[in-house]
Amino acid sequence: FSHQGEMPLIVQPVLQPLRLSLDKLRDVSSRLHKGLVQGLGKHSHHRAAVKMLPTFVRATPDGTEKGDFLALDLGGTNFRVLHVRVLQAEQKVVKMDSQICVVPKDMMTGATQQLFDHIASCLGDFIASQELKGQTLPLGFTFSFPCEQKEIDKSILIRWTKGFNCPGVEGRDVVTLLRDAVRRRGDYDIGSVAMVNDTVGTMMSCGYKDQSCEIGMIIGTGTNACYMEEMKNVKRVEGEDGRMCINTEWGGFGDDGSLRDIQTEFDQMVDKTSINPGVHIFEKMISGMYLGEIVRLLLLRLSEEKLLFKGQKSEVLQTPEIFQTKFISEIEEEDTGLDNARRILTQLDLQWDEADVRVVRLVCDTVSSRSARLCAAALATIANKMRLNRGLDRLQTTVGVDGTVYRKHPNFSEELQLTVRLLAPECSITFLVSEDGSGKGAAMVTAVAQRLCVLFPCLHFLIKSYMSDLKNE
Ligand code: BGC
């Protein structure tokens, strides 16, 4: 731990439960491993907390993909619409243009039709502004929520996560909801749709550059990872050959109570007051949507115990979401961190002294460090599984990564990588920060699906229709 040596004894009892030893992380990793196997099982997946969703992405890019695509991206910080071109000659994905549309907070928990009409209207405006109205381009839809995919273009929402909770969407096909909304407008059309989780988009966007990229990981508003699993282990999908990308939805780890021993009272409080209590327990200990809240609750407790801010009763600290996750990154900056802490505490109207500033930084470090180490344990579990799957002494692989926490926090990535090396010593993992996985990656998935379509599903379809033609004759 970067600041462990300096931990003032006095705050130790409050922070200690958040400090996870390597042995504890190994233990968490072996629990997750059991969870992954349960999620893949034909008969056990219904009860599994870690959903292990088949994505129907059977191949990573091979560099022959090309064409123009539209991409939608819903589920991170913003909703975006993009026009993307995949250039085969230069092995490059080029973003032609993009537009951000705000999804108002009340729409995130409002009526289904209103949300999808908003999406269709943003897409319509964008298509018009790009003068693409007459064309029907294939569309990659990055929809970053757990979905049961039946095919690449049929995706049933299992549950909302993060800040979204529109009643009535769970259990329905998101592609149908989108197509219906586009039809209601009637002024443009969309071609084939490929549904993509952001982890998959991230893996695929890195995969164009580095063909050994077989894991995608997001540590942003939410957290999750996907990886290429052997088909023979994916018991829920027919076929034994090759691999398929599995969206683990590791955020749900712990929803069956399996993380109770490491959940602190602060985690329980964050969960209880969230819009989806009891679900995505692992995510709530890790991702950007929740880290600021955990810090706030710790600061509140320390001040109640008169260990901070001279024990002032502070209404500020009782205000949910007042301590933003980005403050953690700012306060942990190596050179400017303490100054940033002084500025932030002043802005929050807290009466602080120099000792307080250091304790606040320690609290931030403890919370972000736990998050990085838990992610490392989860990533190590996947890498170790892939190595054993393939019967290798050593696995060499690349992880495509994205998300504000990973990108913006000053030492998150370093701590994560260091811990993975300790927990998966037989794996050499290269980390590649994805360039706009949710946008370009979605286009890539669509492009690979189209490339493969020539080989597999279309062939399959042709054979099927040929056979039925024969029958009819
Ligand atoms: C969602 C995942 C997504 C992750 C990162 C989670 O809340 O369930 O589908 O990949 O956030 O955006």
Side-chain angles (χ1 to χ4, degrees):
F1 303 110
S2 33
H3 293 95
Q4 191 169 39
E6 311 166 8
M7 171 140 51
L9 277 179
I10 197 153
V11 295
Q12 195 160 357
V14 180
L15 298 184
Q16 197 55 39
L18 287 102
R19 305 218 150 201
L20 303 173
S21 67
L22 269 186
D23 277 344
K24 189 48 115 184
L25 293 173
R26 277 193 197 100
D27 182 22
V28 167
S29 171
S30 78
R31 283 180 235 174
L32 178 59
H33 180 263
K34 286 198 193 99
L36 302 186
V37 174
Q38 186 184 21
L40 287 172
K42 190 164 187 161
H43 304 294
S44 52
H45 78 90
H46 301 288
R47 328 179 231 84
V50 186
K51 297 266 172 261
M52 303 297 279
L53 303 165
T55 63
F56 294 86
V57 170
R58 293 169 195 265
T60 46
D62 70 357
T64 64
E65 296 76 10
K66 57 175 187 246
D68 270 33
F69 302 89
L70 288 169
L72 295 181
D73 172 18
L74 182 76
T77 331
N78 286 306
F79 169 59
R80 292 182 314 150
V81 195
L82 306 95
H83 176 201
V84 178
R85 183 164 294 163
V86 182
L87 299 174
Q88 186 191 2
E90 294 158 57
Q91 300 238 325
K92 240 180 25 196
V93 187
V94 186
K95 186 165 82 190
M96 307 301 286
D97 215 335
S98 70
Q99 191 177 303
I100 291 183
C101 297
V102 175
V103 179
K105 219 168 173 187
D106 56 342
M107 211 180 262
M108 290 162 75
T109 52
T112 310
Q113 188 158 330
Q114 191 189 19
L115 175 68
F116 281 85
D117 281 346
H118 182 62
I119 293 175
S121 124
C122 296
L123 178 58
D125 292 348
F126 182 70
I127 287 180
S129 75
Q130 297 285 300
E131 297 177 356
L132 294 171
K133 251 196 171 154
Q135 306 180 34
T136 40
L137 295 182
L139 183 140
F141 189 178
T142 304
F143 186 74
S144 308
F145 302 96
C147 287
E148 186 73 60
Q149 248 172 287
K150 301 288 180 201
E151 282 298 335
I152 193 96
D153 65 347
K154 194 167 165 70
S155 205
I156 314 257
L157 178 68
I158 297 176
R159 66 159 75 111
W160 288 112
T161 59
K162 299 173 278 197
F164 283 80
N165 207 355
C166 300
V169 186
E170 292 173 355
R172 292 175 71 187
D173 174 25
V174 179
V175 179
T176 308
L177 291 171
L178 175 69
R179 284 200 185 281
D180 287 351
V182 170
R183 208 166 294 135
R184 274 196 293 278
R185 285 180 59 94
D187 60 343
Y188 69 92
D189 207 358
I190 48 175
S192 56
V193 175
M195 288 297 290
V196 189
N197 186 264
D198 51 354
T199 54
V200 183
T202 298
M203 178 184 83
M204 298 292 265
S205 73
C206 291
Y208 204 59
K209 257 200 239 142
D210 174 346
Q211 274 145 34
S212 58
C213 183
E214 294 178 295
I215 305 179
M217 176 170 79
I218 303 280
I219 312 163
T221 311
T223 184
N224 190 13
C226 70
Y227 72 103
M228 296 304 288
E229 175 61 272
E230 313 304 309
M231 273 300 287
K232 65 175 190 307
N233 293 338
V234 187
K235 307 274 197 256
R236 309 165 51 187
V237 179
E238 263 181 56
E240 295 275 302
D241 301 333
R243 295 186 180 136
M244 181 179 279
C245 177
I246 296 295
N247 167 14
T248 65
E249 289 293 337
W250 75 21
F253 180 30
D255 292 5
D256 54 0
S258 59
L259 291 175
R260 218 164 270 143
D261 60 327
I262 61 164
Q263 253 189 305
T264 64
E265 58 184 295
F266 309 101
D267 299 306
Q268 284 165 1
M269 243 179 297
V270 165
D271 176 42
K272 223 195 283 166
T273 52
S274 67
I275 58 174
N276 54 353
V279 302
H280 272 217
I281 296 299
F282 192 57
E283 174 160 283
K284 287 172 183 163
M285 301 170 89
I286 288 175
S287 75
M289 177 135 180
Y290 310 98
L291 291 184
E293 265 303 88
I294 303 176
V295 169
R296 177 185 72 85
L297 292 170
L298 279 160
L299 298 182
L300 181 61
R301 167 59 54 82
L302 289 170
S303 82
E304 280 168 358
E305 296 200 357
K306 307 205 172 7
L307 301 171
L308 253 185
F309 311 129
K310 304 200 173 61
Q312 297 161 65
K313 283 246 162 18
S314 159
E315 276 178 23
V316 175
L317 289 176
Q318 290 172 10
T319 318
E321 286 168 29
I322 194 95
F323 197 94
Q324 298 173 37
T325 296
K326 72 166 191 212
F327 294 164
I328 301 178
S329 298
E330 292 170 12
I331 290 173
E332 286 190 64
E333 270 316 329
E334 179 148 356
D335 300 331
T336 53
L338 291 174
D339 272 343
N340 291 338
R342 293 180 190 108
R343 171 180 50 81
I344 289 165
L345 296 180
T346 306
Q347 271 171 11
L348 289 175
D349 233 355
L350 292 160
Q351 306 292 314
W352 52 268
D353 64 21
E354 280 307 311
D356 293 334
V357 171
R358 283 169 199 281
V359 170
V360 169
R361 192 181 198 185
L362 178 65
V363 171
C364 290
D365 174 63
T366 306
V367 171
S368 64
S369 176
R370 181 183 67 155
S371 161
R373 288 165 69 87
L374 283 172
C375 278
L379 181 60
T381 314
I382 290 181
N384 282 330
K385 184 170 196 314
M386 287 169 75
R387 184 179 72 79
L388 293 174
N389 277 346
R390 300 174 190 187
L392 298 171
D393 291 336
R394 205 163 182 84
L395 174 81
Q396 197 137 20
T397 194
T398 298
V399 186
V401 199
D402 206 349
T404 41
V405 174
Y406 188 89
R407 277 174 181 278
K408 302 256 166 84
H409 187 281
N411 36 35
F412 192 95
S413 57
E414 200 182 309
E415 180 141 24
L416 185 149
Q417 294 182 22
L418 190 101
T419 314
V420 173
R421 277 200 288 280
L422 298 172
L423 296 173
E426 292 104 349
C427 302
S428 316
I429 304 178
T430 307
F431 290 80
L432 204 60
V433 173
S434 132
E435 264 184 72
D436 194 4
S438 300
K440 294 181 186 172
M444 206 62 244
V445 175
T446 321
V448 172
Q450 289 216 325
R451 165 169 67 79
L452 291 187
C453 180
V454 179
L455 301 172
F456 300 118
C458 287
L459 191 63
H460 184 65
F461 175 75
L462 282 177
I463 293 172
K464 265 208 326 215
S465 47
Y466 176 58
M467 303 277 274
S468 71
D469 281 349
L470 277 184
K471 259 194 240 148
N472 291 339
E473 268 174 20

